Amino acid sequence: MRVGLPRALIYHYYYPLWKNLFEQFDVQVVISDITSKELIQKGIKVTVPEICLPIKAFNGHVINLLSKNVDYIFIPRFVGIESKKWFCPKFIGLPELVGYSIDGVKDKMLTIDIHGNREDTCLLENYRPLCNVFNITEKELKKALKKASAYWQEFKQYCMKGFTIEESMQILNGEQMVSNTHPEITLGLLGYVYNIYDPFVSMDIIKRLRQMDVKVITFEMMHEKDIANVFSKKSKSIYWTFSNKIYGAAKVLMNDPEVDGFIHVTAFGCGPDSIIGKLMELDSDKFRKPFMTLRVDEHTGESHLQTRIEAFVDMIKRKKFAEQRRELA
Amino acid sequence: MKVSFPYMGCVTGYKKILEMLGHEVIMPQKPTQKTIDLGVKYSPEFICFPFKVMMGTYIEAVQRGAEVIISSGGHGPCRAGLYGEVHEKILKHMGYDVQVIIFDSIFRDFGTFYTHLKKVRNGASLIKLIKDIRFAFQIICRMDEIEKKIKILRAYELNRGDFNRAWVEIQKLYDKCWTQQDLEKASKIAHQMINDIPIRKVKDDERIRVGIVGEIYVIMESSVNMNIEQNLNNMGVEVENVQYISDWVKHNTRGFFGSSKAEQMIGKARRFVKMNCGGHDMENIGWMVDFKERGFDAVIHLMPFGCLPELITQSAIPTISKELKLPILSLSLDEQMGTANNQTRIEAFIDLVRNLKSAPKTEVKEIEDEVWNAKLLKQELAG
């Protein structure tokens, strides 16, 4: 049996988990191609025009999988993985968004609803529908989930050591990682995994920044507890799980004297980002830290992105060195 | 306290309750182009349109002296639940000393709800508070009832503008009500006023009825939806809107009063979508089914640009329209207030609906559709 995973949205965060889980049932995991202009264009053609870029890309990946002769395409409905917190409505309505947009996908869709309060999503209730599809018993599923969860936790441990998701995956596969050279400045890179780790959408922004001797910190490199602790109990929290993580990460990093500035990567038309973007902008003003918003969409042109991050990094470097000289003098 | 609130739906009701509690009310103005421009200037670029309009309304109210703004909240996943927090932050950043009080669900967090209530009730006893709220709610219900009637009858008025003039008078009438007797008297006069307006008689099978569904703020507030109801009425079309403040209050206090209409609608939507995504998306799909069942001729779906839950509805609309055999027009609204585009689209849509109704019933064959599609595909492949 072949099950397709669209290389989009939350895939970047949960890929190790799902791959491990499916392979335990002798299922061949097929991943869609790396995002390209053609792939996104196909998605744009079928999706409602004003929706955000990540959803358009997701539909493009599903169309790509349809041509790969798969038996099922895994499209989970993410409702919530924390109590009193949700995912963006587009995640909750994802099966509908895909099913009503693309012809012939409905009978290939493998949908499970993800509820509960575990970040690894590995609750038996969530994955129970898989029993019938893969012809396995609940006991086998339970065992497999435990194993997959442990594997994913290991992956997360590497992330928290400061490796990117891609690097963590490579370490899991047994490759050696050399820690990078001496960075001159540190930047907080704020954005969802599906924007930052999609090389087409973010145009490999992490690599570009590292080439400029910048140390990059993203939200998944930080500990859950630190992020959760910055919010006072009184204030109303941001009720989208990942938006809350990013806003929390920003709050932690604002207080960190080592962090010199922030880049917020957001997709055109992102709803939750319109709120946390403004909140972070107002906060950065208060903490007097440089803050830049990079809004990306389906238009491809690397030069504007390169120019903007170069200029931003140069300004921060200049400011930092001037301060250091003043201290020495 | 000098208190203000967002302009949405039946504002007379909110004004009444705050005045009865002894506050000085800074009456928000109906949003104008200037309000919208002001809101757009200070709001995040990609936030939904209602946020921007409210932002503008608040700034105008604060400039006229409001110290406290009262609004309702939510718990997600729709963005509307965070409006209050962001509004307050932006207003403070602009240098205005103003407090935004948000009433969230009483069932989720009673503590916060109660502290807010204490601030607003201004020392009044709980009994007086409940009495006042009940009275204001009654005003809202009565006014909504009349508004519903106007939106149907206005399609057939003989002298253009009669109903609107009457509505202005009726609003003033209710504004002066302080006791139950006043209210009964006002209602009687109001209904009489509506019934006295001359209308032309139309045969039952010639009536064109259109339902309006969509995001609550844009379908309720005529100044942000380019007066769509009036427009449709002018074309001789009856309109039924699905959202009224009275219904919204009933739905949000259903813990006290049992199941609401919205819940029935959600049940009807089950065949198309499985889960509600935060706003009124599932309810709206349910209303589409309901309108079809009640024999309506068409549905117009309104949403603010980039509205998260309504985008899910919008993706499903082509399928729903096909399966229900019901014409549905989806319009998305934002701060670009040029009317020509939407006016043209609505006129064309109503023309089609009218023709569909008067045309002899013919079965459209699906096969033709397929042949046509195959042809189109061939052409496309050929470039």
Side-chain angles (χ1 to χ4, degrees), chain B residues 20-231:
Chain B
M20 286 175 105
L21 290 171
H23 296 293
E24 188 184 332
V25 175
I26 306 284
M27 196 62 179
Q29 287 156 332
K30 204 171 170 69
T32 59
Q33 185 67 50
K34 204 183 133 227
T35 318
I36 293 168
D37 289 344
L38 203 59
V40 168
K41 189 173 171 188
Y42 294 103
S43 305
E45 190 182 351
F46 280 92
I47 197 111
C48 17
F49 184 40
F51 180 97
K52 296 179 182 172
V53 182
M54 282 187 202
M55 188 82 240
T57 315
Y58 291 167
I59 294 174
E60 280 181 346
V62 172
Q63 282 170 351
R64 284 161 55 224
E67 293 160 348
V68 172
I69 288 164
I70 298 177
S71 184
S72 68
H75 293 278
C78 168
R79 276 180 283 184
L82 286 166
Y83 275 15
E85 278 70 22
V86 186
H87 276 139
E88 187 170 14
K89 272 207 171 168
I90 293 175
L91 284 170
K92 289 235 163 95
H93 191 75
M94 287 171 73
Y96 294 119
D97 183 28
V98 60
Q99 193 190 4
V100 181
I101 295 182
I102 303 293
F103 280 99
D104 284 321
S105 166
I106 180 167
F107 305 109
R108 287 282 289 250
D109 184 0
F110 186 75
T112 327
F113 185 88
Y114 188 72
T115 41
H116 286 164
L117 199 66
K118 237 162 90 185
K119 261 183 229 156
V120 173
R121 82 179 194 200
N122 205 14
S125 73
L126 215 58
I127 295 168
K128 179 173 162 21
L129 183 77
I130 289 169
K131 250 171 134 181
D132 288 351
I133 291 177
R134 239 197 67 164
F135 184 67
F137 182 59
Q138 263 182 334
I139 293 185
I140 293 174
C141 285
R142 300 279 175 100
M143 288 181 79
D144 282 350
E145 200 182 303
I146 291 171
E147 222 185 328
K148 279 180 198 170
K149 213 165 151 188
I150 289 179
K151 284 170 191 172
I152 292 170
L153 293 175
R154 197 164 53 182
Y156 309 117
E157 65 185 354
L158 283 176
N159 311 313
R160 177 76 57 91
D162 271 357
F163 277 99
N164 287 353
R165 279 189 287 274
W167 178 235
V168 173
E169 289 307 311
I170 290 169
Q171 278 174 314
K172 279 183 201 157
L173 216 62
Y174 278 104
D175 198 30
K176 280 179 208 140
C177 288
W178 291 103
T179 60
Q180 195 70 30
Q181 283 103 324
D182 289 350
L183 188 63
E184 298 298 337
K185 225 167 90 190
S187 294
K188 220 170 157 190
I189 300 172
H191 280 282
Q192 194 58 45
M193 276 166 86
I194 297 290
N195 291 339
D196 284 350
I197 294 172
I199 52 171
R200 78 193 138 89
K201 289 273 177 298
V202 178
K203 270 191 243 153
D204 230 22
D205 57 334
E206 279 172 15
R207 288 162 67 196
I208 303 241
R209 294 184 295 164
V210 170
I212 292 192
V213 301
E215 195 271 337
I216 183 162
Y217 188 81
V218 295
I219 64 174
M220 234 155 72
E221 192 34 60
S222 60
S223 53
V224 302
N225 64 25
M226 307 179 187
N227 231 340
I228 190 165
E229 287 161 336
Q230 174 79 62
N231 256 329

Side-chain angles (χ1 to χ4, degrees), chain A residues 34-229:
Chain A
I34 290 172
T35 319
S36 64
K37 194 168 184 176
E38 293 75 43
L39 190 144
I40 282 205
Q41 285 300 336
K42 277 182 192 157
I44 289 171
K45 250 188 178 167
V46 297
T47 323
V48 282
E50 61 194 63
I51 212 158
C52 61
L53 177 67
I55 299 287
K56 290 176 180 170
F58 190 86
N59 273 343
H61 281 281
V62 172
I63 294 172
N64 181 266
L65 279 174
L66 282 176
S67 67
K68 282 188 187 279
N69 192 24
V70 290
D71 298 300
Y72 290 104
I73 298 174
F74 187 57
I75 303 173
R77 182 200 303 278
F78 270 90
V79 182
I81 52 173
E82 281 174 90
S83 78
K84 288 191 181 174
K85 292 228 165 61
W86 305 81
F87 275 76
C88 168
K90 290 168 194 164
F91 279 88
I92 304 177
L94 191 62
E96 277 86 27
L97 272 174
V98 175
Y100 284 123
S101 307
I102 302 170
D103 280 339
V105 76
K106 268 203 172 148
D107 37 319
K108 281 198 172 176
M109 254 167 33
L110 176 58
T111 302
I112 57 168
D113 296 357
I114 294 195
H115 294 273
N117 51 7
R118 279 178 64 170
E119 214 201 344
D120 59 6
T121 71
C122 288
L123 286 172
L124 187 61
E125 301 100 84
N126 290 343
Y127 287 90
R128 191 168 282 140
L130 296 184
C131 287
N132 289 331
V133 180
F134 297 147
N135 222 345
I136 44 170
T137 61
E138 258 182 40
K139 216 171 166 188
E140 283 171 320
L141 179 66
K142 210 171 170 182
K143 222 170 105 189
L145 280 173
K146 211 170 165 188
K147 232 168 144 183
S149 168
Y151 187 73
W152 186 74
Q153 293 295 356
E154 196 187 334
F155 154 80
K156 283 225 47 181
Q157 288 304 321
Y158 289 120
C159 285
M160 280 180 212
K161 279 181 191 155
F163 294 107
T164 63
I165 283 181
E166 283 154 8
E167 288 164 351
S168 306
M169 221 104 91
Q170 282 166 350
I171 297 171
L172 267 185
N173 292 339
E175 285 174 43
Q176 284 293 320
M177 271 293 138
V178 234
S179 60
N180 50 347
T181 49
H182 301 288
E184 288 173 1
I185 57 169
T186 308
L187 286 185
L189 187 63
L190 308 163
Y192 302 112
V193 285
Y194 45 84
N195 290 333
I196 287 182
Y197 290 106
D198 193 316
F200 181 84
V201 173
S202 75
M203 300 176 194
D204 266 330
I205 189 165
I206 294 186
K207 221 187 258 167
R208 278 170 205 269
L209 284 170
R210 283 191 176 162
Q211 274 164 6
M212 297 173 202
D213 291 327
V214 174
K215 186 183 167 195
V216 177
I217 302 180
T218 57
F219 81 89
E220 71 274 0
M221 294 176 190
M222 297 165 68
H223 286 273
E224 299 287 307
K225 270 190 197 147
D226 296 343
I227 292 180
N229 284 344

